[in-house]
Structures are given as structure tokens and as C-alpha cells.
Amino acid sequence: MIKAVRGMKDILPPETARWQQLETVARTVFACYGYQEIRLPLLERTELFSRSIGASTDIVEKEMYTFLDRHGESVTLRPEATASVVRAFIENRLDQGAEVKKFFTIGPMFRYERPQKGRYRQFHQINAEALGGEAPELDAEIILLLLDIFARLGLTAIELVINSLGCPRCRPAYLLELTALLARQVRDLCEDCQRRSASNPLRVFDCKSKVCQEMLAQVPTIADHLCDQCSWHDQRVRELLNRYGVPFRHNPRLVRGLDYYTRTAFEVVTTHLGAQDAVAGGGRYNGLVKELGGPDIPAVGFAIGEERLVALLSQQEVTTPAPPLVFVAVLGTAALDRGFDLVQTLRRQGCRAEMDFGQRSLKAQLTMANRRGAAYVLILGDQELAAGEAPLKNMASGAQQVVSLTDLTAIQAALGGKGA
Ligand code: ATP
Ligand code: MG
């Protein structure tokens, strides 16, 4: 037996219905906020990610699916979408015009991580990116959009955490101070953080080790080092969230796993998924478009992890597939042929119709219809074909009525009008 690659998961019914539901809700909300869909390749040049995400991040250091193609060019299966959106934005000259450009994209990402609950090597994200706007209103708007998606899905067990990561004007001074502090206590840090303290000091705040956490609780945070503009921006975002009654927690130690963030950074976390507690993450990335060779324009975005969102939603309620409205039971080959026709016609009218092609007994077909939860069963045999009419049984009440096989409108009416 050939099995799926480790960390790559099949998404099966009935869970797929949940995926459709959340993507439909996301699309509806995106339309309200003026976000348009963009569809991008899964494969990009490796350089795109090493330059944007940052060479000394976990993703670039050890999580990327990178290989040489047949011409010896280094390519990578995308570990995230923002870099690709920015690449497409620059390449296709989407920056024309003064307005903010808003995009969303839905699809798989690839990271070579240790597979466990809520962590896969192929996973899926819903991404939103707004390019060309500097205003704190845009940060607030995109956070409200994200929370609207969760609200429409009826998700309650979540918390919004926000922070400001400063900008190239105020962050370097803080990083110097942090690096010096960490250097003094470097022997108390875990192995990973010893490395990070020199290469990417902010990342130490993301460390799960207790010893590091305790030590970091004493360290000053970026919050006390923000420049006036960053501080004003941060205040305005929080004021807008407050105005819309959005509860959030300010965590001055929140950092993100990607280097390109500036100012606002946020995460939506839950206490219901164990260690993998982040359902979505995002923030502002003002320097990225220029860094990748485009115009100097600010941007903000987020990514929702669909697997974790589905897991959360499944905890809240059980999904069952929509049962067929009518099951057509057929007896004999002529009835099978006519039944096939009828089921197809009903389906084209938007009716959930089902049948079985196995030439089983009427009893077996009725059991099947029952198990599938069909509301009605239409029984079709040679006699019915000759008469041009057939009994339609209401499975809940047991009531039976005869319907004409040539009058589709009558059948639909008998199905409670729902067949139309
Ligand atoms: P984590 O801290 O859990 O590793 P992250 O900060 O690496 O998450 P992002 O790069 O911000 O994640 O991606 C956004 C969202 O994508 C996360 O909040 C999470 O829901 C989801 N996600 C990230 N990595 C994985 C993965 N390997 N498997 C499943 N979902 C993931
Ligand atoms: Mg990660």
C-alpha cells in the first residue's frame, strides 16, 4: 500500500463540508470589505522567501521544501503567502492608482515541521493582504475583517492579542539593548535562544522553554522604546478596536516568526487546541514591497490556519452532510435507466437527489435511503414505467402519494416545492 507523505493529510467528507462553509463565509466577508481574490503559484524561486521572511528565521533555516528543478534552479514550495502576493503585486504592476489594493487568497502552504496535532507539512491558509495604505484605520479594518469571519462562523473560544514591533527608526536601538542584555545571560538560555540572541534577538520571545520565559519576563520590551509615530499608530489601532467593542490583550512580548513585520502585529489564539494555539496571525509589513524590488509602499495582512479553524469549529458542533431530499429506488434495468434520467433532471433543478445502481432489492434500497436520511423515496419498477406514474413515500410520516413521471413540476411540488 502506498501511503501519503508524512505530515500531508487527506481532507475527507464530512469534514470537507466544514471547509466549504468557512471558505464561503470568508469570501462573503472579503467582498464586504472590498478584498479581491488572487490565485498564485505554489512554487516560487527560493530567493523570494529567504529575502522576505528572513534568513535567520525558523521557516527559512529549517522548514522550507527547497529543491533544484531540472535546470538546476533552486525553487521552494511556498511556506506562506505574503511574499508571493507581494511578488505578484510588483511583477504585474498592480500598484497603479492611489487607492489601497486589497487581496485575499486561499490555498496550501508547505513547511517541513514535526507533524503533530494542529501542525502539518502541508496545511492551508486564508490570507488577506492590503497594500498601499499607512493609516492605522487599515490595521483596525483588517483585524475587524478577521474577527467578522470568526463571528459569522459562530466561533467564540478565541482571544485577540496585539503588539507593536516598532519600525526601522525605533527598533534598532531596542535590539541593541536586547542583544546586550541577552549576551550577559546567554548561558542561561536554551540552545536555540543562544543562537537567536545573536542572529535574531526578537525571536527569543517566541521560545516555549520555561527557563527562557522566566528570564525574558525581566527584560524590557519594545513597548517602552517605540518612537512617537509608532506609539501614535499603536494607540489609534487600539482606540478603534475599543470603539467597536473588540476585546483584546496587549502583549508586549508578542513577536512573529517572520522578519518583515513593522508596527502592528497580532494573533488570534484559543485555549481549546492545546499547544498549537494560534488560529491566525498577521501584522503590518511596511518595508517588504521595497525590499522585494517594488515601490516603497506600506502594507498589512493576516493568515488564518484553516486546519486549526476547522478543528475549533468541529469542537463546537458536529457536521453531518446534507441528506438527499429524494432517493429514487429502482427495480429492473429499464427503471434504472429511467431513474438515472430523473435523478439527473432533478439535480439540474437544484434538488438533492440520490439513487443506487446496484440492482438491489427494494428492501435494501429503502434501508439505504433511510441510512442516508432521505426525506422521500420514489419507487420505480416496470409497472410504474408502464403507468407513467409512481408512488412517492414520505419517510418521516410513511404517507404515500402517486406522482406523474412526466410532470416534473408536480414531482417538485410533492417534494414540498424544495426540488426547485
Ligand atoms: P505557530 O506558532 O503555530 O508555528 P506560525 O506563527 O508559524 O504558527 P504563521 O506563519 O503566522 O504561523 O501562519 C498563520 C497561521 O497558519 C497560524 O496561526 C496557524 O494557524 C497556521 N499554521 C502555521 N503553521 C502551520 C502548520 N505547520 N500546520 C498547520 N497550521 C499551521
Ligand atoms: Mg511556526
Side-chain angles (χ1 to χ4, degrees):
M1 182 180 49
I2 300 175
K3 289 195 175 166
V5 173
R6 186 164 138 82
M8 314 249 162
K9 197 172 71 123
D10 300 312
I11 302 165
L12 307 170
E15 203 187 77
T16 36
R18 181 62 82 201
W19 286 73
Q20 288 170 15
Q21 182 207 1
L22 74 92
E23 288 175 5
T24 305
V25 165
R27 284 171 189 281
T28 309
V29 177
F30 280 131
C32 295
Y33 283 81
Y35 281 70
Q36 289 180 294
E37 183 171 17
I38 179 166
R39 297 192 186 201
L40 302 163
L42 304 189
L43 204 60
E44 298 274 4
R45 290 168 189 258
T46 302
E47 186 195 357
L48 174 67
F49 303 114
S50 45
R51 258 177 60 191
S52 58
I53 298 171
S56 54
T57 55
D58 284 355
I59 295 181
V60 173
E61 273 180 352
K62 54 188 186 200
E63 294 175 1
M64 294 208 302
Y65 275 90
T66 297
F67 56 94
L68 297 180
D69 71 9
R70 289 178 188 278
H71 272 97
E73 182 175 357
S74 180
V75 289
T76 295
L77 281 168
R78 63 177 188 192
E80 60 112 34
T82 306
S84 306
V85 172
V86 173
R87 199 261 314 131
F89 178 80
I90 299 169
E91 187 172 344
N92 298 291
R93 308 290 318 262
L94 302 180
D95 61 316
Q96 307 304 307
E99 72 278 17
V100 177
K101 305 296 179 336
K102 300 169 172 182
F103 305 105
F104 76 88
T105 190
I106 302 177
M109 306 295 153
F110 303 84
R111 294 184 196 175
Y112 198 81
E113 300 197 72
R114 192 169 70 78
Q116 54 196 291
K117 185 168 167 271
R119 197 174 289 291
Y120 310 98
R121 290 182 173 174
Q122 174 174 331
F123 62 99
H124 299 76
Q125 288 184 342
I126 298 175
N127 279 264
E129 316 287 348
L131 299 105
E134 190 157 28
E137 285 76 10
L138 192 60
D139 308 42
E141 182 188 79
I142 211 168
I143 294 174
L144 290 170
L145 187 174
L146 173 64
L147 297 178
D148 269 7
I149 294 176
F150 291 155
R152 284 210 201 194
L153 287 166
L155 205 64
T156 47
I158 48 171
E159 184 187 31
L160 172 67
V161 186
I162 72 168
N163 191 22
S164 173
L165 298 176
C167 70
R169 210 165 340 171
C170 52
R171 190 157 49 188
Y174 170 70
L175 290 183
L176 275 180
E177 191 182 323
L178 181 64
T179 311
L181 271 169
L182 295 174
R184 243 176 278 155
Q185 312 190 48
V186 75
R187 255 172 268 123
D188 301 336
L189 296 171
C190 76
E191 216 173 285
D192 274 345
C193 284
Q194 293 194 1
R195 203 163 32 83
R196 287 179 189 137
S197 65
S199 64
N200 197 348
L202 264 191
R203 296 283 302 134
V204 298
F205 287 109
D206 231 5
C207 184
K208 304 272 189 300
S209 136
K210 248 213 164 99
V211 193
C212 295
Q213 292 275 345
E214 271 167 25
M215 197 216 116
L216 290 166
Q218 321 297 329
V219 168
T221 64
I222 183 114
D224 309 316
H225 292 72
L226 296 181
C227 62
D228 288 349
Q229 285 92 332
C230 284
S231 183
W232 172 82
H233 188 100
D234 186 40
Q235 286 307 318
R236 177 71 178 150
V237 173
R238 291 203 238 168
E239 177 190 313
L240 285 164
L241 295 178
N242 280 326
R243 185 189 302 175
Y244 289 97
V246 174
F248 63 85
R249 181 162 58 87
H250 173 235
N251 175 4
R253 290 183 176 76
L254 173 75
V255 294
R256 309 288 343 280
L258 307 96
D259 279 353
Y260 52 63
Y261 287 107
T262 51
R263 295 193 171 161
T264 316
F266 55 90
E267 261 177 19
V268 173
V269 296
T270 173
T271 49
H272 288 55
L273 291 178
Q276 270 51 257
D277 63 350
V279 189
R284 185 164 270 286
Y285 50 95
N286 287 351
L288 185 59
V289 184
K290 184 156 180 246
E291 172 64 34
L292 290 177
D296 188 5
I297 58 166
V300 56
F302 69 68
I304 300 175
E306 290 192 85
E307 278 79 3
R308 295 187 196 171
L309 183 52
V310 166
L312 259 187
L313 288 169
S314 318
Q315 282 181 2
Q316 290 193 352
E317 59 183 282
V318 195
T319 29
T320 41
L325 179 62
V326 59
F327 187 100
V328 179
V330 293
L331 296 162
T333 48
L336 174 75
D337 193 56
R338 181 75 177 83
F340 189 86
D341 239 15
L342 187 62
V343 164
Q344 265 327 99
T345 312
L346 283 167
R347 285 173 176 164
R348 295 224 167 109
Q349 302 291 322
C351 172
R352 292 188 312 279
E354 274 297 343
M355 69 181 293
D356 174 65
F357 308 136
Q359 302 271 22
R360 274 170 261 262
S361 70
L362 180 61
K363 191 163 166 254
Q365 291 186 62
L366 285 175
T367 309
M368 207 179 274
N370 235 332
R371 239 196 356 246
R372 296 289 310 275
Y376 292 90
V377 175
L378 185 79
I379 300 159
L380 220 56
D382 288 339
Q383 230 176 320
E384 285 75 21
L385 290 187
E389 49 183 37
L392 181 73
K393 187 175 172 184
N394 181 323
M395 298 295 275
S397 66
Q400 205 158 297
Q401 70 181 109
V402 172
V403 293
S404 161
L405 291 175
T406 49
D407 188 353
L408 197 66
T409 329
I411 299 180
Q412 288 174 332
L415 292 170
K418 282 172 274 182

